[in-house]
Amino acid sequence: MNYLWHILVMISIYAILAASLNLVTGYSGLLSLCHAAFYGIGAYVTTLLMMRAGFGFLPAMALGAALTALISLAIAIPSLRLRGDYFVLATLGFQVIIFGVLYNWVSLTQGPYGIPGIPIPVILGIPVDTVFRYALLSGALAVACLVMIRAVARSPFGRLLRAVRDDEIAAAALGKNVPRIKITVFALGAAFAAVPGALFAGYMRFIDPTSFTLAEAIFILSIVVIGGAGSLAGPVLGAAFMVLLPEALRFLQMPDAVAANMRQIIYGLLLVVLMRFRPQGFLGKYGFE
Amino acid sequence: MLLQLLANGLVNGCMIALMALGYALIYNTTRIFHVAHGAAYTAAAYLCYLLLIVFKWPLLLAVVGGVAAAALLGVTMELAVYAPLYRRGASDLISLISSLGLYVALVNLIALLFGNETKVLRPGVEKTCRLLGVILTRIQVAEVVVAAVLLPLLVLFLKRTLWGKIIRGVRDNPVLAEVLGIDLMAVRIAVFAAGSALAGMAACLTALDVGMDPQVGMPVLLTAAVALIVGGVGTFEGPVIGGFLLGLIQSLIVWKISAQWTDVITFGVLIVFLVFRPEGIASRRRRLEESAA
Amino acid sequence: MNVMNERPALNSPIQPEDFPERSPLLRVENVHAGYGKKEVLQGVTLSLAPGEIVAVIGANGAGKSTLLKVVAGLIKPAAGRVIFRGEDITNLPTYRRARGGIAYLIQGGAVFPSLSVGDHLELGRAAARRGGRVSCGVLPFPALEDRASSAAGLFSGGQRQALASATILSTEPALLLADEPSAGLAPAAAAELLATLAAASRERGLPVLWVEQRVADVLPLADRAVLLRSGLVAAETSSPGDWLDGETLAHLTFGRGA
C-alpha cells in the first residue's frame, strides 16, 4: 500500500512543478529551462529555515516561495526583453549557475554532501511521519496549488497572459505593460515551484544538488509539453504519465539500470514525435506557434 | 606557472572554438537552437572509443570514424526531424523542444549501450613535449595543431569561396537566396554535415585527452553557445574569438579561484553579455550594417 | 521531359519566334491562394506573352504581391495551375523555378547585407546555374560602380534596390517578377529606377510581370495592364495609357460609380 502512496506523493510533486511551469510556458509562451533551479531553491530555503532558524514546515515553505520569487526577478528582469531563443539560453545559464552555487557554497548548503536529517513536517501539531500522511499532505498542497493556478489562468490577468503569448505586439499596442506582465508570471511560476521543493525535502529528509540539475529542468518541461501546454489538466496528466512510466517498465521486468535510461529514451522520442505531429501535447491548447 | 596556465587555456580554447564554429555554422544558417549537437559530440567520442579500444583500429582511423559518425548523425537529425518541421513552417520553439528530446533520447541510448561511467581512451601516462617551459601531452599538441589548421582555413573558406558566400547569403536572407535559385535544403544538409563533423573532431580529440562519459556533450555544447553569444551571433570569426576567450577565462578561474566555479562564471559571462552586449564582440561592423538598413 | 533543366543560352534573350504563335510564356489559371485560412486570390487567370511587360495594379490587399509569390513558388496555391513555357510548374520548388529562369525581385530591395556587389553577382549566377561571370560595369546601374567591393549592408535604399535589380538581371532570367521595385524610394529616384529597369528589360526582350503602387510611372512603360480587385482580375487593357486619367482609375480600383 505504501508503494501507491509513494507514487501519489511523486505525482503531486511533479504536478505542481508542471502546473507552475505551465503558467510560464503554456499560458505565456516563455520557454524556461530553469524550473529545477526554483524547485531546488525552494527545497534548500525551506530546509535551512527549518534546521537553522527553527521554522515550522508551512511557514518555512511560504517564506521559501517568497524568496524564490524574489530570486527569479534576478534572471527575469534582465532577460525577458530578449528574443525567444536568447531567453531560453539565459534561463539555461541561470539553471547552471544555481546548480553551481548549490554545489559549491559548501558553508551554506554542504555542497555535494547534501543536507541529511531534515525534520519531519508537523502540520497542526500532527507529525507527517507515514507515507500515507505524506500523501495526504502533498495531495492537499497539490490541489491547493492547482486551484490557485487555475484561478490565475481564468482571471483577467490570465487572459492578458494569453493575449501577450498570441500577439505580443498587439498587446503592447493596446497599452499593456508586456515586460511587467512577463516578469510577474515568471515570479509567480517560481513561487509555486518552491512548494514541491519543500515537499520533496520533507519527504526525502535529505537533499543534495543532484536533484535540481538541468536534466531535471528538461524533465519538468517535458511533462508540460507531453501533458499539454496551456491547459489545466495537461500538467497533471503529464506528471502521472511520467511518474508511472518507469514503474510500468519495472513491471515489464526491466532491470532498474536499464529502465532509468529507457524511460528517458522513451520520453525524449515522445517529445520529438509530439512536436512533429501534435505540438499541443495530449490535452494542450497551445502548440508553440 | 602562468605560461602553463595560458597554454592549458589555449588547448581548451582550441576545442571550444572548434565546437563553437561548428555550432555557429548550424545556428547562423538555420536558426535552430540545436541542443542535440551535444549528442553528436558524445556519439563521436563513443564511436572513437568503440573503434579504438574494442575493435583495435589505428588511432587515426578511429578519429576519422568518430568525425564521420557525428556528421552522419547531424545530417540524419536534420533530415528526420528538423527539415519536416521547417517545411511545415513550425516555430523556433518547436525545433528547440524537438532538439531537447533528441538530446535526451540519444544520450541515454549511448548510456544504455556503453554504461554511465567515465571512459579513458589512452590508458597510462601520455608522452609529453616541452616547449618554452610549458609541458603538453602529445594529444594536446595535436589539439592545437588541428585547430590551428582548421579554424583559419574554415573562416577563410566562408569568407572567400562561392560555397562560403552561399552559406553567408542563406544566413543573411534565406528567402532571397531561395528566389535566386539556392536549394535551401541542400545548404542545410551541408551545414549540418560540416558543423557536426567539427563537433566530432573536438569530441574525439578531447576524449583522447581527458576521456568522456555520456553526459559530456551538454556542458561542451553550452560552452560553445556561450562562445557564440560572446563572440557575436551571425558571424563566423566571432565564435572562434569567443571560444579562445572562454578557454583563457576558464584557465584563469582554475588558477585564481577554483575549477568548481568554472560553470558558474562561464554562464555569468553569458548573462553579462546577454544583458549588456547581446550582439557580442565581433559584430560592430554588423551592427553598422543593420543600422544602415 | 522537364523544361526547367534546359538552360537558356547565354546572352540570347528569348525571342518571340522561339514559341508557337499566341502561346503564352506564362499562364496563371484560376489560382486561389492566401495565407493560412485567409484566401487572398480567389480565382485569378492571366497570361503573359514573350517579351511583354504587364503592369499589375490594384488597391492594397487586392492580391498583387500574392500573385507574384505564387508564380515564384513562395506560396503554394490552394487551387489552380501555373504554367511556364508550356510546363505545369505549380508544384515545382522555388529554387528550381529560379534556375528555370523565373526571377523574383523582392519588395524593398532585398540584398545580402554582409556580401559585396561582386559577391551578389557571383552568387546570383551560381545559384541560377549560369556559367561565367558578369562584371557590374555591363549592368545599367551607375550607382553601384564605385561600390563594387563594399558590403551591401552599408548601402542606401536606392543603392540596395539597384543592387537587387542588378543581381536579378545578371542571372539572365526568362521572366521577371517585379514586386514594387520603387517601394521606399524618393519620387525622382523611383521614376529613374523604373525607367532603367524597363529599358533594361526591353533591351533584353525580357518579359515582366510588374506590380507597382506608382501607377502613373508604370503604366506608360507597360504593354498591357491588369487590375486586381479583391483577389480577382477586375479589368484588363492593351492600352495602359487609357487608365492614366484619375477618374477611370479610381473607378476601376474601388469599383465605385464614377
Side-chain angles (χ1 to χ4, degrees), chain C residues 235-256:
Chain C
E236 266 189 88
T237 178
S238 317
S239 43
D242 295 353
W243 283 5
L244 275 172
D245 120 66
E247 217 168 295
T248 315
L249 199 64
H251 173 68
L252 289 167
T253 310
F254 301 107
R256 293 196 209 97

Side-chain angles (χ1 to χ4, degrees), chain B residues 243-292:
Chain B
F244 281 107
L245 201 68
L246 278 186
L248 286 179
I249 291 175
Q250 290 185 345
S251 73
L252 279 178
I253 297 167
V254 172
W255 183 33
K256 283 287 183 191
I257 306 169
S258 151
Q260 289 165 347
W261 289 96
T262 307
D263 287 347
V264 173
I265 294 173
T266 302
F267 283 90
V269 170
L270 166 74
I271 303 235
V272 167
F273 265 83
L274 283 178
V275 172
F276 294 106
R277 201 179 159 81
E279 71 278 17
I281 299 170
S283 63
R284 182 179 298 146
R285 178 187 157 89
R286 204 170 156 71
R287 245 189 331 159
L288 217 131
E289 287 162 8
E290 269 152 18
S291 66

Side-chain angles (χ1 to χ4, degrees), chain B:
Chain B
M1 185 64 188
L2 176 64
L3 220 53
Q4 181 68 45
L5 272 161
L6 285 179
N8 291 346
L10 179 72
V11 173
N12 189 16
C14 282
M15 292 301 99
I16 301 175
L18 272 185
M19 184 73 180
L21 181 58
Y23 184 66
L25 265 173
I26 295 171
Y27 181 78
N28 288 347
T29 317
T30 67
R31 293 282 148 175
I32 297 169
F33 191 164
H34 180 38
V35 181
H37 199 50
Y41 178 96
T42 314
Y46 274 88
L47 199 82
C48 187
Y49 163 85
L50 185 72
L51 297 177
L52 187 71
I53 306 293
V54 182
F55 294 152
K56 313 275 182 218
W57 284 24
L59 180 75
L60 211 59
L61 277 181
V63 171
V64 169
V67 171
L72 200 66
L73 185 58
V75 171
T76 308
M77 289 193 271
E78 154 68 6
L79 290 177
V81 179
Y82 299 130
L85 293 177
Y86 176 78
R87 285 199 201 94
R88 195 181 78 198
S91 69
D92 293 351
L93 290 187
I94 290 197
S95 314
L96 169 53
I97 296 170
S98 303
S99 196
L100 285 170
L102 274 175
Y103 177 82
V104 170
L106 286 170
V107 162
N108 281 284
L109 183 65
I110 291 170
L112 196 61
L113 295 173
F114 292 93
N116 277 304
E117 70 282 0
T118 302
K119 290 213 184 320
V120 180
L121 270 68
R122 308 272 284 174
V125 181
E126 195 70 35
K127 277 192 189 148
T128 57
C129 312
R130 238 186 128 84
L131 199 81
L132 300 167
V134 171
I135 300 170
L136 292 176
T137 65
R138 286 197 306 183
I139 291 296
Q140 287 171 329
V141 173
E143 288 174 55
V144 175
V145 170
V146 166
V149 172
L150 274 184
L151 291 172
L153 266 182
L154 279 165
V155 170
L156 265 178
F157 173 85
L158 287 163
K159 269 209 161 30
R160 295 286 158 78
T161 64
L162 176 63
W163 262 95
K165 287 170 192 172
I166 289 174
I167 288 172
R168 281 157 59 213
V170 171
R171 172 201 65 190
D172 280 4
N173 190 337
V175 177
L176 177 58
E178 195 178 10
V179 301
L180 285 175
I182 306 260
D183 181 356
L184 288 186
M185 299 327 268
V187 174
R188 285 169 64 104
I189 291 171
V191 294
F192 266 96
S196 307
L198 283 175
M201 182 55 86
C204 293
L205 290 172
T206 309
L208 288 168
D209 186 4
V210 296
M212 77 274 186
D213 65 56
Q215 308 301 328
V216 75
M218 183 59 95
V220 173
L221 168 85
L222 293 180
T223 311
V226 176
L228 178 59
I229 299 268
V230 168
V233 171
T235 69
F236 292 110
E237 63 281 6
V240 176
I241 299 168
F244 281 107
L245 201 68
L246 278 186
L248 286 179
I249 291 175
Q250 290 185 345
S251 73
L252 279 178
I253 297 167
V254 172
W255 183 33
K256 283 287 183 191
I257 306 169
S258 151
Q260 289 165 347
W261 289 96
T262 307
D263 287 347
V264 173
I265 294 173
T266 302
F267 283 90
V269 170
L270 166 74
I271 303 235
V272 167
F273 265 83
L274 283 178
V275 172
F276 294 106
R277 201 179 159 81
E279 71 278 17
I281 299 170
S283 63
R284 182 179 298 146
R285 178 187 157 89
R286 204 170 156 71
R287 245 189 331 159
L288 217 131
E289 287 162 8
E290 269 152 18
S291 66

Side-chain angles (χ1 to χ4, degrees), chain A residues 202-229:
Chain A
Y203 183 58
M204 294 297 172
R205 307 193 57 207
F206 169 81
I207 50 172
D208 71 358
T210 58
S211 302
F212 313 109
T213 56
L214 177 59
E216 186 74 0
I218 298 176
F219 183 71
I220 299 168
L221 178 70
S222 311
I223 297 177
V224 176
V225 171
I226 289 170

